[in-house]
Amino acid sequence: MEIKFENVSYSYLAGTPLQVDALKDINLTIEANKINALVGPSGSGKSTLIELINGLKLPTKGTVYVGEHKLKNNIRIVNANKLRFEIGFVFQNPEDQFFQKTVKKEIQFGMKYFGYKTDKINQRVEDALKMVGLDNTYASRNPFELSGGEKRKVAIASVLAFNPDVIVLDEPTNGLDTTSKESLVKLIKTLKEKYNKTIIVVSHDVDVIYKFVDNVIILSNGKVLFQGDKYSVFKNIDILTKNGVKVPRIVEFLHKTECKTGKYLGDIDNVEDLTKEIIQNV
Ligand code: ADP
């Protein structure tokens, strides 16, 4: 599902002396069936931007198009409930909110709350576990006794159970070890490639996201600094650094090598391909 922001501004406490202009005239496109990263320093407007996608916040100015939905100030959202289920949010450290005794209960809790029928719930729990790569034996396990990576997968499964078209993940790799991060990256790619989801990842972890995202949106001080495919966005090393945005180490390496040798080894996002290029060029 494509999402478009057209001249969108959002102000907190609008019209009061304490007004904060969190987003200023944003124009951007979040492509369907792609992994889109949202990157920017703290306070740049990332949380505000993702909260405008499911209609919980409405723009102060401008329009957000989410698939068939048009979100605009002072306009009633047609099919507001449909929209809520089409966008799945995985918040930061979601497993901190676990409170059920089994994985199954944890995943089905939200669906029960929204009155889904038992048959449908059982099927969706099974499907959601499969989608995150956990077999059915996990259903009866205690969620508190799982590893950090498994917990994160269960939290993602509880969002997938609603069958959303778009999945927003806020700092998904936060607090995970390297192996769990790699496993999560694989899962996010599968959600795009096998299940055709549109993914939005909010992250500071530029080294990890560079390996698997397609597009990047950089926010700075409530404005879009850059948007586009990851290679073209992260080529703007000086401007990004000046605006407090970290550049992936692999991009820095390729840039430094180019400065020293005059040779650009290519748009490379992983160490294996980088090693091959270096061996061929030495
Ligand atoms: P980020 O997620 O990139 O850290 P936010 O979207 O949370 O950025 O914040 C953008 C700006 O809006 C910041 O200046 C922040 O202080 C301000 N802001 C966020 N939430 C509120 C709020 N509830 N009331 C007033 N200002 C807010």
Side-chain angles (χ1 to χ4, degrees):
M1 184 188 282
E2 185 181 86
I3 298 166
K4 264 185 115 153
F5 280 59
E6 225 174 65
N7 306 110
V8 171
S9 298
Y10 186 86
S11 303
Y12 291 95
L13 307 164
T16 75
L18 298 174
Q19 177 167 328
V20 179
D21 299 326
L23 295 176
K24 301 160 195 162
D25 202 23
I26 299 280
N27 287 288
L28 60 82
T29 303
I30 295 171
E31 283 188 86
N33 304 124
K34 290 266 164 74
I35 305 177
N36 304 273
L38 185 58
V39 177
S42 192
S44 57
K46 303 182 297 296
S47 310
T48 308
L49 195 147
I50 58 173
E51 284 170 17
L52 284 164
I53 292 172
N54 74 347
L56 276 180
K57 281 188 166 65
L58 288 173
T60 311
K61 278 189 203 144
T63 312
V64 182
Y65 297 91
V66 182
E68 68 191 45
H69 308 276
K70 186 174 176 179
L71 315 180
K72 208 171 157 60
N73 204 352
N74 296 325
I75 286 199
R76 194 176 65 85
I77 302 172
V78 184
N79 283 331
N81 277 337
K82 191 165 173 259
L83 172 64
R84 298 273 150 82
F85 294 123
E86 283 170 346
I87 317 287
F89 275 88
V90 181
F91 294 103
Q92 264 189 55
N93 304 330
E95 57 281 353
D96 291 353
Q97 311 297 322
F98 283 177
F99 68 106
Q100 299 286 339
K101 287 201 177 83
T102 67
V103 165
K104 181 174 180 181
K105 284 191 174 150
E106 198 57 67
I107 298 176
Q108 68 186 17
F109 177 78
M111 299 191 79
K112 275 193 166 168
Y113 180 84
F114 284 105
Y116 281 73
K117 296 213 169 73
T118 312
D119 280 0
K120 190 162 200 165
I121 293 178
N122 288 336
Q123 187 57 51
R124 289 276 187 93
V125 171
E126 209 174 291
D127 292 348
L129 275 175
K130 201 166 150 198
M131 285 169 90
V132 297
L134 298 176
D135 65 52
N136 234 336
T137 61
Y138 278 85
S140 55
R141 290 185 58 182
N142 180 344
F144 295 97
E145 289 171 359
L146 302 176
S147 73
E150 288 168 336
K151 281 183 185 160
R152 190 82 29 111
K153 286 182 177 175
V154 169
I156 294 173
S158 64
V159 170
L160 290 171
F162 287 100
N163 198 20
D165 201 68
V166 178
I167 299 160
V168 183
L169 298 125
D170 193 1
E171 298 289 352
T173 56
N174 211 13
L176 296 183
D177 61 34
T178 313
T179 317
S180 303
K181 277 187 190 180
E182 276 168 13
S183 171
L184 188 74
V185 166
K186 252 194 207 153
L187 163 60
I188 295 175
K189 278 166 124 173
T190 307
L191 293 178
K192 177 188 88 161
E193 284 157 17
K194 190 163 168 200
Y195 300 105
N196 298 319
K197 305 290 183 191
T198 300
I199 315 271
I200 302 171
V201 180
V202 180
S203 182
H204 285 102
D205 204 345
V206 286
D207 287 316
V208 173
I209 60 153
Y210 197 64
K211 288 185 204 163
F212 73 97
V213 306
D214 300 300
N215 296 328
V216 179
I217 296 159
I218 308 271
L219 281 186
S220 172
N221 197 19
K223 290 188 175 161
V224 176
L225 192 60
F226 294 108
Q227 63 177 310
D229 77 89
K230 64 180 173 189
Y231 298 113
S232 64
V233 166
F234 279 115
K235 282 210 171 98
N236 302 287
I237 298 176
D238 292 343
I239 303 176
L240 289 171
T241 312
K242 235 182 252 163
N243 283 278
V245 179
K246 264 184 77 177
V247 172
R249 275 182 298 177
I250 199 161
V251 173
E252 271 178 32
F253 176 85
L254 289 164
H255 177 66
K256 281 183 184 154
T257 316
E258 188 184 9
C259 291
K260 288 237 155 91
T261 65
K263 190 167 170 58
Y264 181 59
L265 292 176
D267 290 338
I268 300 169
D269 62 5
N270 64 86
V271 173
E272 291 76 25
D273 290 346
L274 179 62
T275 314
K276 272 188 215 151
E277 276 303 318
I278 291 173
I279 292 169
Q280 270 176 20
N281 282 279
V282 166

